[in-house]
Amino acid sequence: MARQPIPLHLGALVILSAATLSAAAPARASETISATDGHFHVAFASSSGANLKPDAVEGLAREVGSAGFLQLKAEDSANPLAPCALLSAALTGAHVNQLFFEIVNSSLKTPPFGSNIFGKYDWKQMLWGGGLPDDPNTAADALARISVYRAWGINTLINTHIAGQTQAGCLEQLTDPQRIVLDSKEVAISFEHQPPVSLFFTSTSRAEGHEHLAQLEKLEFLSLPAADRSNPLSPCSILRSLRLGARLNEDVQTLGSGKLRIPDNALLINNPPVSGQSKPLPAESPLKPLADKLHDPAFLRSGSPEAAVVVSQAFGHEIVRTNQLTEMLLDASHASQLDCINEIRQPSTLRLRLIEKKISLPLR
């Protein structure tokens, strides 16, 4: 089977090796879960950082430019748009995008045989041909389990990488990804759950996690609407995470070099009516007034407080816009959990459904 490129709006670049992304290590749970209890991690999902409100972006970005902020340690700020939080988000996005790439290209790297999370599929997966299984309920369950397994590993690596860094150091890496070196062999593994990392992960107890997995095996679950967010391991929750991960992964590749594309909302036509959880896009992209600065690599990599604010604004508005476009896509297509599984297997399935209705959505 020929490898398929992930569509432009999904971004196919990755900044971490597949071996690194697939690594798994135990990680201490977030502040809401006892460190001695088993737990599940899920990238993005219902985390506060991945669900920014549009009207919160500017205030959070301004805080990043305040006196002395860039000298703070990573763990000393709970601002989701602080450089260390955004670096965590970008690294998580690379992990999520790698998973998306593997699914689309039927090159899925599953957990090793005998793992607690995936052992039930040790031999069955040999029949899947490198992709998700054909049965949709099994596909939903397998995808959830792989997502949790990958999240355990990358969560530990990012916590280790972020620990002790200053916001200025994180900003330097955020605007120049070539400076990012994630290698757990070179440093002592940190099992502390750093606040900047927890902002972009959803964590549940092991008992809750198994309850969520059990729901995926019920035939009626896949008929639930995409708007149902009660299960962070549902196909539509994971689709939201995959789309956000792809966007962040592309952004970190382009922002520091001054190549971030600024969407032109004036060119949008035939937008779907606003309903459900979707919100209208603003008449003009909030990034348009920042175009000169966003196209100036020297400024973006200057390490100044002003540059930090612009970088925070850019990532913040990109997170918000990606979520808005995803909800518009799901609402306008009246997507179910089954539709989300199909969209994950073959991106743009829902977009084609809308085109048949003469509804057009922007690619970014």
Side-chain angles (χ1 to χ4, degrees):
M1 177 179 177
R3 286 184 176 271
Q4 302 177 37
I6 293 180
L8 182 62
H9 67 289
L10 298 179
L13 294 175
V14 293
I15 58 178
L16 301 177
S17 70
T20 298
L21 289 170
S22 299
R28 183 168 294 175
S30 68
E31 59 278 352
T32 59
I33 298 173
S34 168
T36 59
D37 290 340
H39 59 279
F40 281 26
H41 284 310
V42 188
F44 300 136
S46 59
S47 63
S48 59
N51 292 275
L52 288 173
K53 302 300 182 184
D55 57 3
V57 172
E58 294 300 320
L60 291 170
R62 283 195 299 273
E63 181 188 6
V64 173
S66 62
F69 189 92
L70 293 180
Q71 282 67 56
L72 292 177
K73 294 287 188 180
E75 56 269 26
D76 292 334
S77 173
N79 185 332
L81 297 185
C84 289
L86 290 175
L87 180 59
S88 168
L91 294 172
T92 304
H95 140 78
V96 170
N97 191 61
Q98 174 69 27
L99 175 59
F100 207 173
F101 180 86
E102 292 174 20
I103 294 171
V104 171
N105 289 285
S106 296
S107 58
L108 192 58
K109 297 176 179 64
T110 55
F113 276 29
S115 66
N116 288 333
I117 191 71
F118 209 71
K120 63 185 291 188
Y121 295 123
D122 277 355
W123 294 106
K124 294 178 182 179
Q125 64 178 291
M126 305 299 290
L127 304 174
W128 298 351
L132 293 174
D134 292 335
D135 177 73
N137 285 94
T138 306
D141 181 62
L143 176 61
R145 289 172 183 273
I146 293 171
S147 298
V148 170
Y149 180 84
R150 296 283 187 96
W152 279 333
I154 196 65
N155 185 275
T156 298
L157 286 176
I158 297 176
N159 275 309
T160 299
H161 184 71
I162 292 292
Q165 295 214 40
T166 64
Q167 301 293 342
C170 290
L171 178 64
E172 188 176 69
Q173 297 169 71
L174 197 60
T175 54
D176 186 1
Q178 297 301 318
R179 295 177 178 270
I180 300 174
V181 178
L182 267 186
D183 190 347
S184 60
K185 296 178 182 178
E186 300 297 327
V187 296
I189 291 290
S190 171
F191 296 122
E192 293 296 326
H193 198 181
Q194 303 296 329
V197 180
S198 65
L199 288 169
F200 289 93
F201 279 86
T202 295
S203 298
T204 70
S205 69
R206 182 168 57 187
E208 290 174 314
H210 283 293
E211 288 177 7
H212 292 143
L213 288 174
Q215 292 174 8
L216 302 180
E217 297 182 345
K218 297 178 181 178
L219 289 176
E220 63 271 19
F221 183 85
L222 293 182
S223 64
L224 292 177
D228 188 317
R229 290 173 175 253
S230 60
N231 188 330
L233 298 179
S234 72
C236 293
S237 292
I238 292 178
L239 175 61
R240 290 181 177 96
S241 296
L242 292 172
R243 285 174 58 87
L244 179 57
R247 169 56 50 221
L248 289 173
N249 182 63
E250 182 175 306
D251 286 348
V252 79
Q253 299 287 339
T254 58
L255 188 143
S257 58
K259 297 178 181 178
L260 181 73
R261 290 178 296 155
I262 298 175
D264 189 349
N265 290 354
L267 298 178
L268 305 185
I269 57 174
N270 297 330
N271 280 327
V274 176
S275 62
Q277 297 192 38
S278 65
K279 304 296 180 184
L281 294 171
E284 179 179 276
S285 168
L287 298 182
K288 194 170 183 180
L290 304 173
D292 289 345
K293 293 176 179 177
L294 287 173
H295 293 157
D296 183 353
F299 166 76
L300 293 169
R301 293 176 173 173
S302 67
S304 68
E306 184 182 10
V309 170
V310 172
V311 169
S312 295
Q313 289 173 308
F315 274 103
H317 287 303
E318 285 284 84
I319 290 171
V320 168
R321 181 181 178 84
T322 300
N323 292 340
Q324 288 176 319
L325 290 177
T326 296
E327 296 311 318
M328 291 171 72
L329 178 68
L330 296 176
D331 284 345
S333 62
H334 304 289
S336 66
Q337 299 295 331
L338 177 60
D339 291 323
C340 287
I341 275 286
N342 293 331
E343 176 73 13
I344 290 170
R345 294 183 199 269
Q346 189 171 355
S348 294
T349 299
L350 293 178
R351 187 178 298 278
L352 291 175
R353 181 189 294 184
L354 294 184
I355 290 175
E356 292 175 355
K357 298 179 180 180
K358 302 187 185 309
I359 294 177
S360 171
L361 278 178
L363 293 177
R364 60 165 283 113

